[in-house]
Amino acid sequence: MNFNERVYNFSAGPSMLPLEVLEKVQAELLNYDSSGMSVMEMSHRSKTYERIINDAETNLRKLMNIPENYKVLFLQGGATLQFSMVPINLLTGSKKADYVVTGTWAEKAAQEATKYGDIVVTASSKDKMFTYIPKLSGNDFRPDADYIYITLNNTVYGSKYSYIPDTGNIPLVSDWSSGILSEVIDVSRFGLLYAGAQKNIAPAGVTIVIIRDDLIGYAPANTPVYMDYKTHAENASLYNTPPSFSIYVAGEVFKYLLSKGGVAVQEKLNREKAAKLYDYIDSSKLYKAPVEKESRSLMNVVFVTGDKELDKRFVTEAREEGLIDLGGHRSIGGMRASIYNAMPMEGIDRLINFMQKFESINLG
Ligand code: PMP
C-alpha cells in the first residue's frame, strides 16, 4: 500500500518523531547553520559539532533534572550492548546482581549478565505472562549485590512500574528505552539509566547512558576500550566517532520538548492519551487489555480480541486506513499500539474510531 501523506505510525520503534523536528531537520539538511554542509557530513571534531553535542547534553540534563554527579554518555550499540556493558562495568564487588524479569528485554539482559557473574532472577512476572509488575521490597534483594536491575517500561508486554523500588544503598539500574522523557522520574534514585533513542528521542543509532560518577572506573583491565564507561566519560562521548546525526536529531527533540514545557507537560498529555485508549478498550466487548490496571504502560498499549485470525485482520485493515504497525511483538501476537511522545491525540482518536467500526462489524 502506498501513502501520499504521513500516516499514524504505532510502531514500537523506530517510531514517530515530532513533525516540527523533522521539518527543521529537513530545512537544515543541506546546510546546517551556515556551515555549508549537512550535520551528517560534518567532522565530529569541529566547533559546530561540539556545540551540537554539548547543547544536546545540557538540554537533556534540564529535561530530566539530572544531578551534577551523573555523567551523560552518547553511545552506540543499542540498548542491547548495555545488557553487556552494565555487568562488565558494575559487577566489581561481590560479582552478584539481582534481576527482576518483567518481560522479554529484562530476560535477555539477565541472560547476558550470567556470562559475567552470579546473577539471580529475584522476582519475575512470567507466571502470568508478564501482565503485572511485582511488588518489590528490600527483602527481595541480596544485601551484598553489586546492583539491582529492572526494566521500567516493558515494550513487548506493555507494562510499567508505577513506583521505583527501594534498593537502599544498592545501585538501581534500569533500561528506560521505551519510556525515557515520557514521564518525570527522579534520576537520583538510580545508579544507572539507559535508553536506546529510537522510540522517544531520535533515529536509531544513539544510546543514552546516565550514570552516577562513583560507579565509573572499575571495569576489569581486559574490558574492550569501547565498553568501559570511563572511556566515554573522560572524553565527553567523543572518544571515537559518535552517531553524530542521531545525536543532532536527539538535540532537536530535546529543544522541542523544552519549548513545549518539558517532561511534566508531556507526561500529562501521555496520561490523557493512554487513559482514553485503555478506557475505550475496557468498555468494549471485543477488545481486552491483558495487563493489570496498575501496571499498564503509557507508551505501549497491548490488547487482543481473543481470536488470532481476527487480530490479524484488525492489523491489516487498520493499515489500509493509515494506522500502521499495530501488530503485537512477533513473540506474542495480538495488537500493540505504541503511543510514544510524538503520537498526537488525533492518532488516538483515529485509532479508537477504527476500533469502534471494526468492533461493530465483527461483533455479530
Ligand atoms: N530494551 C527495551 C525495553 C526495548 O524496547 C528494546 C527494543 N525494542 C531493547 C532493549 C533493544 O534495543 P536495541 O534494539 O536498541 O538494542
Side-chain angles (χ1 to χ4, degrees):
M1 180 138 195
N2 298 321
F3 297 103
N4 294 323
E5 48 189 65
R6 286 177 58 77
V7 295
Y8 290 106
N9 175 8
F10 294 90
S11 165
S15 44
M16 290 178 79
L17 287 172
L19 185 59
E20 230 176 271
V21 171
L22 292 177
E23 285 169 345
K24 180 148 189 271
V25 169
Q26 183 181 43
E28 294 176 343
L29 193 68
L30 301 185
N31 186 357
Y32 176 81
D33 196 20
S34 305
S35 64
M37 65 180 88
S38 174
V39 177
M40 66 175 100
E41 303 170 301
M42 188 179 286
S43 165
H44 60 293
R45 304 283 174 209
S46 64
K47 281 271 165 276
T48 308
Y49 194 76
E50 210 173 280
R51 205 177 61 236
I52 290 174
I53 193 167
N54 289 344
D55 286 355
E57 177 176 339
T58 304
N59 288 332
L60 182 63
R61 284 183 175 278
K62 268 190 215 158
L63 280 167
M64 291 183 71
N65 201 12
I66 300 173
E68 291 263 319
N69 61 325
Y70 284 70
K71 290 276 186 300
V72 174
L73 311 176
F74 296 104
L75 306 184
Q76 308 205 46
T80 300
L81 189 63
Q82 295 311 308
F83 297 170
S84 326
M85 280 179 77
V86 164
I88 289 174
N89 282 269
L90 302 191
L91 281 174
T92 51
S94 65
K95 295 203 179 291
K96 294 179 186 172
D98 293 354
Y99 278 64
V100 182
V101 171
T102 49
T104 310
W105 300 111
E107 203 161 37
K108 288 198 167 161
Q111 255 165 22
E112 179 66 11
T114 57
K115 293 179 184 166
Y116 303 102
D118 169 3
I119 305 301
V120 165
V121 173
T122 188
S124 162
S125 50
K126 201 168 188 172
D127 57 335
K128 291 188 185 159
M129 274 297 280
F130 300 120
T131 51
Y132 71 104
I133 298 291
K135 301 251 174 325
L136 303 167
S137 72
N139 300 334
D140 290 311
F141 309 121
R142 290 179 288 181
D144 59 343
D146 286 336
Y147 64 91
I148 312 295
Y149 183 102
I150 62 171
T151 307
L152 274 172
N153 185 77
N154 298 283
T155 327
V156 174
Y157 291 91
S159 67
K160 161 181 112 67
Y161 284 75
S162 58
Y163 69 101
I164 298 177
D166 184 0
T167 58
N169 290 329
I170 312 173
L172 179 61
V173 172
S174 182
D175 180 347
W176 192 211
S177 292
S178 45
I180 190 167
L181 298 175
S182 68
E183 62 179 288
V184 176
I185 62 164
D186 180 356
V187 174
S188 73
R189 297 282 304 276
F190 297 85
L192 188 155
L193 277 168
Y194 70 85
Q198 66 270 27
K199 299 158 197 307
N200 264 335
I201 294 182
V206 59
T207 305
I208 291 171
V209 174
I210 301 166
I211 179 172
R212 215 174 61 207
D213 279 345
D214 61 297
L215 299 174
I216 300 172
Y218 301 101
N222 66 351
T223 302
V225 65
Y226 192 87
M227 293 179 69
D228 188 340
Y229 292 126
K230 187 166 165 234
T231 303
H232 305 286
E234 285 182 345
N235 291 282
S237 301
L238 289 167
Y239 172 75
N240 68 332
T241 317
S244 52
F245 195 77
S246 296
I247 294 170
Y248 151 66
V249 180
E252 291 303 321
V253 169
F254 300 156
K255 280 189 227 164
Y256 169 83
L257 285 174
L258 282 170
S259 78
K260 299 286 174 196
V263 179
V265 172
Q266 185 66 51
E267 173 174 350
K268 185 167 172 288
L269 178 61
N270 290 337
R271 288 192 182 280
E272 287 165 10
K273 288 189 297 185
K276 202 175 206 180
L277 189 49
Y278 284 120
D279 284 351
Y280 167 66
I281 293 169
D282 289 339
S283 72
S284 98
K285 293 205 171 58
L286 183 62
Y287 311 102
K288 188 172 169 303
V291 176
E292 74 170 30
K293 285 194 177 165
E294 206 189 317
S295 307
R296 286 177 174 176
S297 169
L298 298 180
M299 297 284 100
N300 311 98
V301 177
V302 168
F303 57 99
V304 293
T305 64
D307 173 342
K308 288 201 166 73
E309 284 312 307
L310 200 56
D311 288 353
K312 275 194 199 139
R313 253 185 45 223
F314 178 98
V315 174
T316 310
E317 290 179 22
R319 185 176 172 80
E320 281 159 17
E321 305 231 352
L323 306 168
I324 304 299
D325 260 347
L326 281 160
H329 189 265
R330 55 199 152 89
S331 60
I332 64 166
M335 277 81 78
R336 171 179 52 176
S338 293
I339 51 172
Y340 296 117
N341 283 353
M343 174 62 67
M345 186 61 95
E346 299 82 72
I348 308 296
D349 292 337
R350 283 277 302 277
L351 175 59
I352 293 175
N353 234 306
F354 172 77
M355 290 172 78
Q356 283 168 333
K357 202 172 74 182
F358 189 86
E359 172 164 359
S360 70
I361 294 170
N362 291 288
L363 254 197

